[in-house]
Amino acid sequence: MASPLAPTSSARRGRRYRWGLKITPYTYVAPFFVLFGAFGLYPLAYTAWLSLHDVQLVELNALSWTGLGNYDDLLTSPRFWKATLNTISIGVISAVPQLLMALGLAHLLNYRLRGALMWRVASLVPYATSAGAAALFFQFAFSRDFGLVNWALHSLGLGPVDWEGGTLSSQLAVSAIVIWRWTGYNALLFLAAIQAIPQERYEAAALDGASRRQQLLYVTIPGIRPTIVFTIVISTIGSIQLFGEPLIFGGGSQAVQGGADGQYQTLGLLLYQTGWANGNAGRASALAWLMFLLIILIALTQAVVARRARRR
């Protein structure tokens, strides 16, 4: 004869089992969200609080409420808008050719080449190189008096260029560092996406007489459109956060201010100058939040554009 408590015990075990099934996934992902809250959300909330105060870096406990005063000072500052324009122009100069070259390189790497693995690993070497080492090399290469680039121009009968002194020339030099570092990395992303395209599409295109160029335009690019959008978003975010390359390229005492006239000072450099060089933690926090909102705005714009492109 079964005990009258048996059905109750079985029901409890059943409830515990079902609760276990529901709770287990949350316990696995909980450590990430705990760390994200500690090192992601808390700094965001803290800098948002600091941005509403007049506070110095050396005395963070001495807060003086200013409301949106720091934001108003930044938005009416010519220095802020100049850094914003520099960031956008360097981002465009570096990201557009970088992604086009990466796409072409991925298309070439997708061919049956001898030593294909070696070529693919070699394309990742610039990414593995530290930003400091790359910037030091390019600082030497773009030196006005003894640089490799001016030496090449001289051999072509052209005059030397003061790469750091001019606005466009300095931004081209900084963009060259970014292009050199990130083209191979993006090429491998494109290559992985290309290899996920069914081979039957290329075979059908070849049977229809499509050339390699036509296969790239009408098979490859439509097939990797999500990856292209992803790389554009990542490149845009990286451009807004650009800091190490222009800092080391400039070198010397004028590195933080992006040259004598701020001709290549990015928002990242201006943030460093405001927060660490000038010690104004409140205004630096406001600048960090403006950069964050700018990234959100650009990401949303690109998402809307990508969605409309998919509907066509």
Side-chain angles (χ1 to χ4, degrees), residues 130-287:
S130 72
L136 283 174
F137 170 76
F138 280 93
Q139 185 186 34
F140 170 72
F142 286 103
S143 172
R144 184 187 60 183
D145 299 324
F146 307 103
L148 293 174
V149 178
N150 277 344
W151 174 80
L153 292 176
H154 177 72
S155 65
L156 295 174
L158 301 175
V161 177
D162 183 5
W163 291 99
E164 188 183 350
T167 300
L168 180 60
S169 59
S170 61
Q171 294 183 2
L172 284 173
V174 173
S175 300
I177 306 173
V178 179
I179 291 171
W180 183 80
R181 286 199 69 218
W182 291 96
T183 298
Y185 175 81
N186 286 319
L188 290 185
L189 290 180
F190 288 145
L191 179 63
I194 289 173
Q195 293 185 338
I197 297 175
Q199 193 63 28
E200 292 78 9
R201 294 185 187 178
Y202 290 102
E203 293 173 356
L207 288 175
D208 290 339
S211 64
R212 291 284 190 180
R213 176 177 166 277
Q214 289 172 325
Q215 291 179 23
L216 171 66
L217 293 177
Y218 301 113
V219 178
T220 302
I221 293 179
I224 63 170
R225 187 174 295 164
T227 305
I228 293 175
V229 173
F230 172 76
T231 54
I232 291 174
V233 172
I234 295 300
S235 299
T236 304
I237 294 173
S239 300
I240 294 175
Q241 296 175 337
L242 195 61
F243 173 74
E245 287 86 350
L247 178 70
I248 302 177
F249 169 74
S253 59
Q254 296 178 350
V256 175
Q257 56 187 10
D261 194 32
Q263 62 268 25
Y264 57 91
Q265 186 182 48
T266 61
L267 287 172
L269 280 180
L270 181 61
L271 173 64
Y272 181 85
Q273 183 185 24
T274 305
W276 292 96
N278 300 338
N280 193 333
R283 187 173 297 183
S285 300
L287 177 54

